Every structure is written in structure tokens, then in C-alpha cells.
Amino acid sequence: MVVLETMDYEMRKIVKKGPLVPMYEPMFNNAPIGSLKQKPETSYDEDEKRILSLDVKSMATIGNSLPYDVYHLVQNCDSAQNMMNTMKVAYEGTVEVQTITINNLNQRYAHFFAQQGRSLTQTLNRFNSLVNDMHWLGIVKHSSQLVLKFLDPLGKS
């Protein structure tokens, strides 16, 4: 997302909320009639054209940053938002899958212990990986819990 923002600050919003569709409100005698309608392309102003092009630029940036095997997941998407949503489901899973992942991480954390034959560095790396995965999914543990868990992985006082 940061790369998109460096190209144009509006790109992040386009990817999150979807492409802009220029609209107008039909008027009769300076009073609105009916609901908003999509503007015809011939009546777009320069700013609307620029913002519309941001979705195309975002799609190109996302597509060009992906390895070939991942690109196949999103090559037929019609917007940058659709591309990101497709990848999110592919890599993070549905809400149900995320819930299962969170439960598994909490269980791994609750039963974390140093494995026999592993060095302190290997144990610390395993623990850091677990904590980073938990943080990425929004599972927050206080630092005092983390230090205590690592120093006494079997939960003995």
C-alpha cells in the first residue's frame, strides 16, 4: 500500500473503497429530480479522468509486483479493490478460516515450550515467529506475559 501512496495519495483509497464512478444529479429548474446517475465519459472533467486512471495504475502496480503464479489469481479482476480482496481471501482465508487460525495460534501460545535439542536462539526464533503471527492477526498479549512465557515456557513459577 505504501508504494501506491508514493505514486498518488488517492490510490490507497481507490484500492480500499473501489474505483470512483463519476456521478451527477439530474436537475430541472434548479431542483434535483430522481437519484444520482453515472456521468457519460464525454462529460468527465480532468480531475475525474485522473482519479479514474488511478484504478488502472493501481491494478498495473499490483499485477506487476506479483509473481507469475500469484498473478493468475487476479488477472481477470476488474478493479484494484477486487484484486486485493481476491488475494486476501486466497492468503488470509475467509472469516471462518481466520477464526480457526486465531484459535490455533492461541493454543500454540498457551502450550509453548522449549523443545529438547533446540538452542536458545532457535527457541527464541520460534517464539518470535509465533508472537509476530499473533500480532498480524490482531491477537495482543502484554509484554509482561510474553517475557514470562519465554523465560518459563512450562508455566512453572
Side-chain angles (χ1 to χ4, degrees):
M1 289 296 228
V2 175
V3 172
L4 295 174
E5 282 182 354
T6 62
M7 296 171 71
D8 191 307
Y9 185 73
E10 296 286 326
M11 284 180 138
R12 182 181 184 127
K13 186 169 42 170
I14 299 281
V15 170
K16 286 191 176 261
K17 295 185 179 183
L20 167 82
V21 178
M23 306 293 274
Y24 75 97
E25 190 170 32
M27 305 287 270
F28 182 74
N29 289 335
N30 291 331
I33 55 169
S35 59
L36 291 175
K37 298 192 185 284
Q38 186 173 343
K39 271 186 176 181
E41 286 185 36
T42 55
S43 65
Y44 291 170
D45 63 26
E46 290 302 312
D47 194 48
E48 290 168 334
K49 288 177 185 176
R50 182 189 69 78
I51 290 177
L52 277 170
S53 72
L54 293 180
D55 189 53
V56 176
K57 288 179 184 177
S58 298
M59 288 174 60
T61 303
I62 293 167
N64 289 330
S65 66
L66 298 174
Y68 188 70
D69 58 326
V70 177
Y71 177 73
H72 283 290
L73 290 173
V74 298
Q75 71 182 5
N76 294 320
C77 293
D78 58 353
S79 70
Q81 180 189 32
N82 199 353
M83 291 173 94
M84 293 302 286
N85 290 342
T86 300
M87 287 190 294
K88 184 176 181 177
V89 169
Y91 289 102
E92 294 177 14
T94 61
V95 174
E96 293 83 10
V97 171
Q98 289 177 9
T99 302
I100 291 169
T101 303
I102 288 170
N103 290 340
N104 286 341
L105 287 172
N106 277 323
Q107 187 174 14
R108 280 179 43 206
Y109 177 81
H111 300 292
F112 183 86
F113 60 91
Q115 295 174 341
Q116 191 171 2
R118 299 283 181 154
S119 69
L120 182 59
T121 302
Q122 290 170 321
T123 302
L124 180 60
N125 287 342
R126 246 182 66 237
F127 185 73
N128 282 336
S129 177
L130 175 61
V131 170
N132 287 337
D133 288 347
M134 293 173 76
H135 179 74
W136 184 71
L137 287 171
I139 305 169
V140 179
K141 302 287 184 188
H142 295 288
S143 58
S144 60
Q145 290 174 306
L146 298 177
V147 171
L148 183 61
K149 184 73 172 174
F150 184 73
L151 292 177
D152 190 12
L154 297 176
K156 298 177 184 172
S157 298

